[in-house]
Amino acid sequence: RAQRPSRMNMLRGAVGRVVATAKMHHANANAALTAAPDDEAEVELQLQRVSDAIMPEFRREAIVQLKELLVDNPKAQRAVGEMGMPVLATVLKDDRDDIELA
């Protein structure tokens, strides 16, 4: 006949699982707070900067950062394709004489 665990051992096991779960949730929360912004949010931020820029040099800076984000980054490329084309088309139309945007 198998020996049943004592109540104290069962309590220790339950407390251990609760503590381990709490530590895991705490680690996940810390990771979420310190995680880099996701690619889509960064694309959206850069597109907003491009759209809102008053000075051409600020627009150029935002476009350069957007271009750097797109290098070998399919998720960011998809985000630009989905939400950025109207913004970029407007920039090309409005700033077509600015050779530094190329």
Side-chain angles (χ1 to χ4, degrees):
R1 169 179 141 178
Q3 189 177 25
R4 290 179 44 178
S6 70
R7 286 186 179 176
M8 185 58 89
N9 285 340
M10 287 178 18
L11 181 60
R12 282 186 192 135
V15 169
R17 284 190 295 278
V18 168
V19 169
T21 301
K23 285 181 181 179
M24 180 185 70
H25 286 292
H26 181 72
N28 288 343
N30 282 341
L33 290 174
T34 59
D38 76 333
D39 296 328
E40 291 175 2
E42 184 65 22
V43 164
E44 189 172 3
L45 173 68
Q46 295 307 325
L47 288 170
Q48 190 67 42
R49 288 183 61 216
V50 168
S51 179
D52 293 347
I54 296 171
M55 305 285 292
E57 54 269 13
F58 296 151
R59 187 180 340 272
R60 283 192 292 272
E61 180 182 307
I63 289 174
V64 166
Q65 290 179 356
L66 183 60
K67 285 169 58 175
E68 290 172 357
L69 179 64
L70 297 178
V71 174
D72 296 327
N73 191 337
K75 189 175 179 184
Q77 293 168 4
R78 187 173 30 259
V80 168
E82 291 172 355
M83 65 181 141
M85 297 316 280
V87 172
L88 297 174
T90 300
V91 169
L92 288 172
K93 180 181 164 215
D94 294 346
D95 296 341
R96 64 181 162 260
D97 295 330
D98 187 349
I99 59 171
E100 291 185 42
L101 282 179

